[in-house]
């Protein structure tokens, strides 16, 4: 009997992990790389063991439509009880991520984003009337009472929005802790979790805040990097650090519960975050090492060593299957079992263009120059113990680390030529609540 927990600490940089998660036991992989720069493609790779372009889930298709049965389905078919808790609205039922899970739960933010069309859109109405002062709240109440919506659930929903917005500064970690404590997991179980505390807008609870700021540098109708003076930039970096400290404390409590319940606990980040490097903020653009070099730790193996091999998040898929005793099948994926040392092998990172909602916004705004600049394919390659090279938007190949690689672009092209591209479904209709939440997170 085997039980496995997979926890994604969304948007956690490797350097921030090293600084604030020294308490986390397990085998740590110093040179782990994400296959892409943001949540959706990285999770698709975790669940399939394939590169994003092979999963059918990428910048132009946020619907999870994998070409093969995804990881939770494989485990479910083997008799494991499968559970999920996701605080990220992009990794939710609406986009097909519940495939193979016996139970799929989300944080309050995620549930709000997935509100039905019968629920009054409080935030959208209030933002539309923001110039009308406090009376916009009364107008919203009247619109709810007189409109074509499910009145009682809508009123309850509005009260919860107000309470959560003004009194609770938590992106789901506390709910995740309660969920773990309140769930009776089977001996054979798989749990997937996504925690969003390190993600923007970087507003942890009051007792963790050492700085205050109003908003992140945004892209609005453009994707061009906005200039940020150094004082404000340092404020943003500190706000991110405050958020990571809060995440570390909450996850320490969650991990204590998980290590009591599960045989293995795998902790990782799906991508990092740019904090002003090269004038870039967030994780919407490019394959910078601040985005692709990610933390990865596995608790439950015999040793608690630090491993130096270059590995990828696609390896996690195979590792979990082997942990669960799932034998070789036609759906193996590209990954390797990380419970034993693996050979140095080059790992690919993919940037497949602007996400579909940003693309539509640029087209509507007539920003064709910026669209052509940023909506393109870029690739990166990680190999040796400390080498990472990547293409940038200036058509340069940038190399970082202390190792060297002969003919890196040729090696990278070999990996690209071996990809088995899978087209996804770009026809996705989302609710106003979902779009509002995507905008709040900077995805649309």
């Amino acid at each position: 009997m085997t039980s496995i927990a997979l926890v994604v600490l969304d948007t956690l940089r490797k350097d921030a992990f090293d600084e604030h998660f020294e308490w986390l036991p397990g085998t740590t992989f110093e040179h782990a790389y994400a296959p892409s720069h943001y949540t959706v493609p990285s999770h698709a790779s975790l669940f399939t063991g394939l590169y994003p372009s092979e999963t059918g889930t990428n910048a132009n298709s946020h619907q999870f439509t994998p070409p093969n049965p995804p990881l939770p389905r494989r485990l479910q078919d083997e008799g494991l009880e499968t559970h999920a808790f996701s605080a990220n609205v992009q990794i939710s039922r609406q986009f097909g991520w519940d495939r193979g899970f016996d139970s799929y739960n989300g944080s309050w933010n995620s549930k709000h984003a997935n509100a039905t069309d019968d629920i009054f859109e409080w935030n959208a109405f209030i933002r539309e009337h923001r110039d009308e002062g406090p009376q916009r709240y009364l107008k919203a109440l009247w619109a709810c009472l007189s409109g074509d919506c499910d009145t009682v659930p809508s009123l309850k929903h509005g009260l919860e929005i107000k309470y959560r917005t003004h009194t609770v500064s938590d992106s789901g970690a506390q709910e995740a802790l309660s969920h773990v404590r309140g769930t009776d997991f089977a001996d054979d179980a798989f749990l997937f979790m996504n925690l969003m505390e390190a993600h923007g807008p970087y507003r942890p609870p009051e007792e963790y805040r050492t700085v205050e700021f109003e908003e992140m540098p945004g892209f609005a109708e453009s994707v061009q990097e906005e200039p940020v003076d150094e004082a404000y930039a340092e404020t943003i970096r500190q706000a991110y650090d405050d958020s990571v400290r809060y995440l570390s404390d909450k996850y320490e409590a969650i991990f204590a519960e998980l290590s009591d319940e599960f045989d293995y606990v795998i902790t990782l980040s799906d991508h990092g975050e740019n904090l002003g490097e090269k004038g870039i903020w967030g994780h919407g653009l490019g394959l910078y090492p601040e985005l692709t070099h990610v933390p990865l730790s596995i608790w439950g193996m015999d040793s608690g060593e630090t491993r130096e091999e270059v590995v990828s998040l696609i390896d996690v898929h195979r590792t979990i299957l082997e942990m669960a005793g799932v034998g070789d099948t036609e759906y193996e994926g590209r990954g390797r079992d990380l419970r034993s040392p693996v050979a140095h092998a080059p790992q690919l990172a993919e940037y497949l263009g602007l996400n579909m909602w940003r693309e539509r916004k640029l087209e509507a705004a007539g920003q064709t120059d910026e669209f052509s600049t940023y909506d393109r394919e870029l690739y990166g390659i990680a190999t040796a113990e400390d080498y990472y090279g990547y293409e940038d938007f200036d058509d340069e190949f940038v190399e970082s680390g202390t190792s060297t690689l002969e003919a890196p672009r040729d090696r990278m092209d070999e990996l690209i030529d071996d990809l088995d591209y899978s087209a996804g479904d770009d026809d996705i209709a989302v609710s106003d609540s979902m779009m509002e939440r995507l905008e709040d997170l900077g995805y649309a």
Side-chain angles (χ1 to χ4, degrees):
M1 294 183 290
T2 303
S3 54
I4 306 158
L6 170 62
V7 184
V8 177
L9 304 179
D10 207 297
T11 320
L12 180 62
R13 287 170 58 123
K14 177 63 164 61
D15 55 1
F17 173 84
D18 290 344
E19 181 176 356
H20 294 296
F21 285 77
E22 70 284 346
W23 59 264
L24 182 64
T27 296
T28 300
F29 293 83
E30 278 298 299
H31 304 290
Y33 283 84
S36 193
H37 62 105
Y38 76 110
T39 295
V40 171
S42 283
H43 278 73
S45 291
L46 278 173
F47 279 17
T48 62
L50 301 172
Y51 284 113
S53 59
E54 301 177 303
T55 67
T57 306
N58 49 60
N60 294 312
S61 174
H62 281 205
Q63 195 74 26
F64 185 45
T65 54
N68 302 322
L71 176 65
R73 178 74 72 199
R74 301 278 304 281
L75 299 175
Q76 188 183 56
D77 290 344
E78 289 293 318
L80 275 74
E81 185 181 271
T82 53
H83 302 267
F85 180 95
S86 175
N88 193 321
V89 299
Q90 294 193 102
I91 309 300
S92 63
R93 288 180 180 274
Q94 180 163 347
F95 297 116
W97 293 95
D98 58 333
R99 285 183 176 84
F101 284 104
D102 297 316
S103 68
Y104 201 98
N105 293 277
S107 66
W108 173 83
N109 274 326
S110 179
K111 293 172 184 175
H112 165 55
N114 284 284
T116 68
D117 292 337
D118 295 331
I119 300 297
F120 182 71
E121 300 286 350
W122 292 94
N123 285 342
F125 185 94
I126 289 169
R127 288 206 296 193
E128 183 180 348
H129 296 267
R130 61 165 61 98
D131 295 333
E132 299 180 26
Q135 72 179 45
R136 67 188 186 277
Y137 297 103
L138 292 176
K139 281 191 172 183
L141 178 61
W142 173 248
C144 174
L145 293 172
S146 60
D148 184 18
C149 67
D150 201 343
T151 305
V152 173
S154 293
L155 290 172
K156 291 180 179 178
H157 188 58
L159 288 172
E160 187 171 22
I161 290 175
K162 185 172 180 61
Y163 169 75
R164 295 279 182 172
T165 301
H166 295 286
T167 64
V168 179
S169 296
D170 184 284
S171 295
Q174 184 57 49
E175 291 175 84
L177 177 59
S178 298
H179 178 74
V180 171
R181 287 174 172 170
T183 302
D184 183 17
F185 296 103
D187 291 333
D188 283 324
F190 172 67
L191 170 66
F192 160 73
M193 303 185 78
N194 178 292
L195 303 178
M196 289 280 283
E197 271 57 39
H199 198 288
Y202 313 153
R203 293 197 179 97
E206 190 69 35
E207 61 269 28
Y208 285 84
R209 297 184 191 179
T210 60
V211 293
E212 294 286 349
F213 72 104
E214 291 191 5
E215 61 182 354
M216 285 283 292
F219 298 114
E221 304 301 326
S222 166
V223 293
Q224 183 63 47
E225 304 86 31
E226 295 184 359
V228 179
D229 68 63
E230 186 52 36
Y232 189 46
E234 196 51 44
T235 296
I236 297 170
R237 295 184 190 110
Q238 186 58 48
Y240 176 82
D241 190 74
D242 293 345
S243 300
V244 172
R245 285 191 298 107
Y246 175 61
L247 172 63
S248 176
D249 285 353
K250 296 307 295 184
Y251 187 53
E252 188 167 10
I254 294 171
F255 180 85
E257 300 288 337
L258 295 179
S259 59
D260 227 21
E261 288 275 358
F262 292 86
D263 299 313
Y264 296 98
V265 181
I266 302 173
T267 306
L268 56 86
S269 177
D270 53 343
H271 57 78
E273 186 84 321
N274 277 317
L275 295 174
E277 294 88 1
K278 300 184 184 297
I280 305 290
W281 297 89
H283 49 270
L285 299 174
L287 292 173
Y288 307 101
E290 292 80 11
L291 297 180
T292 56
H293 187 197
V294 294
L296 170 60
S297 174
I298 303 178
W299 175 87
M301 301 197 296
D302 291 338
S303 63
E305 62 184 335
T306 297
R307 299 259 296 271
E308 299 292 338
E309 310 103 301
V310 172
V311 301
S312 170
L313 295 188
I314 65 174
D315 293 318
V316 173
H317 173 266
R318 171 67 69 84
T319 302
I320 292 176
L321 290 178
E322 296 290 346
M323 287 173 173
V326 179
D328 291 341
T329 73
E330 58 183 310
Y331 308 124
E332 292 179 357
R334 293 179 173 274
R336 302 161 295 173
D337 184 357
L338 296 181
R339 292 179 301 168
S340 301
V342 294
H344 289 299
Q347 305 297 326
L348 193 63
E350 298 181 307
Y351 172 90
L352 300 175
L354 295 172
N355 77 56
M356 56 195 300
W357 294 296
R358 181 66 54 76
E359 177 181 335
R360 292 168 187 172
K361 185 168 286 189
L362 284 172
E363 288 178 343
Q367 300 287 347
T368 55
D369 289 343
E370 292 188 7
F371 176 79
S372 61
T373 297
Y374 295 104
D375 191 55
R376 55 188 296 190
E377 294 180 0
L378 301 174
Y379 296 92
I381 183 173
T383 190
E385 290 187 359
D386 187 22
Y387 176 87
Y388 179 66
Y390 62 97
E391 298 172 320
D392 69 7
F393 294 107
D394 294 323
D395 295 318
E396 299 290 336
F397 188 80
V398 183
E399 297 179 279
S400 63
T402 57
S403 299
T404 59
L405 178 65
E406 185 177 349
R409 299 192 88 157
D410 292 341
R411 298 286 301 277
M412 190 172 70
D413 287 342
E414 291 175 5
L415 296 178
I416 296 169
D417 290 341
D418 189 46
L419 293 172
D420 185 13
Y421 182 80
S422 176
D425 181 7
D426 62 357
D427 186 18
I428 301 176
V430 299
S431 67
D432 291 342
S433 293
M434 176 63 77
M435 184 56 67
E436 179 184 347
R437 184 62 181 147
L438 290 169
E439 290 174 350
D440 289 343
L441 294 172
Y443 292 116

